[in-house]
Amino acid sequence: MFEMLVPKLWVNTVFDISLEELYRQGYRGIITDLDNTLVGAKAPVATPELLLWFEKVKEVGFKLIIVSNNNMERVSRFATPLNIEFVHQARKPSNAPFLKAMKQMELPPEQTIVVGDQMLTDVYGGNRLGLYTVLVLPISVKDEGFGTRFNRRVERVALTRLRKKGLWHEEEK
C-alpha cells in the first residue's frame, strides 16, 4: 500500500517539470490538480507565470485537464476563462475522475501524467491506474481545508514508513 504513495517524479513546482523530456518519452496528456498545485487554495486566478506555463504545455504538444476535488464554482471560475477543461468534485483518489479525464483527452494511461500536491489523492489515484505521477510541494498550506490538513498528517506517517523501508529518499526532490 505505501509503495502506491511514491510518485515517479518529485519537484518543487509545476515549473520544474521537464515538459519536453516527458513528451519525448511518449506522454501526451496532463491531468493536474488545481488547489495548491497550480495556485494557492484561495487564489481565484492564474498567476502570469502560470499562464506562461499553460502556453508552454500547449506549445510542447500536451493536452491538459484540471481534475479537482473542489466544487463546480471554484474550479469553473479558474478554468473557464482559460479555456481549460476540468472535472470538479472528483473524489480523488477514486478511479472515475482519472478515467473521465483520459477519455476527454482521448489518451490511454501510458500516455498520461498526473500532477498534484497530495500523495493520498493525486499520487495514489494516478499510481493505481498506471499513470506517470508527479508530486509538487503545496503552494499555500495555510489556506487548506480540514480534509486536506488531515491528509497531510496521514502523509507524514506514510513518509516515515516509506523512509524506514528505503522507498523515500530526500534527495529525490
Side-chain angles (χ1 to χ4, degrees), residues 18-36:
S18 176
L19 296 170
E20 296 87 352
E21 178 59 30
L22 290 171
Y23 194 86
R24 276 194 296 275
Q25 291 176 22
Y27 297 101
R28 297 297 182 260
I30 299 173
I31 296 171
T32 183
D33 180 43
L34 172 58
D35 295 324
N36 276 334

Side-chain angles (χ1 to χ4, degrees), residues 11-22:
V11 295
N12 288 324
T13 72
V14 294
F15 311 115
D16 299 319
I17 299 169
S18 176
L19 296 170
E20 296 87 352
E21 178 59 30
L22 290 171

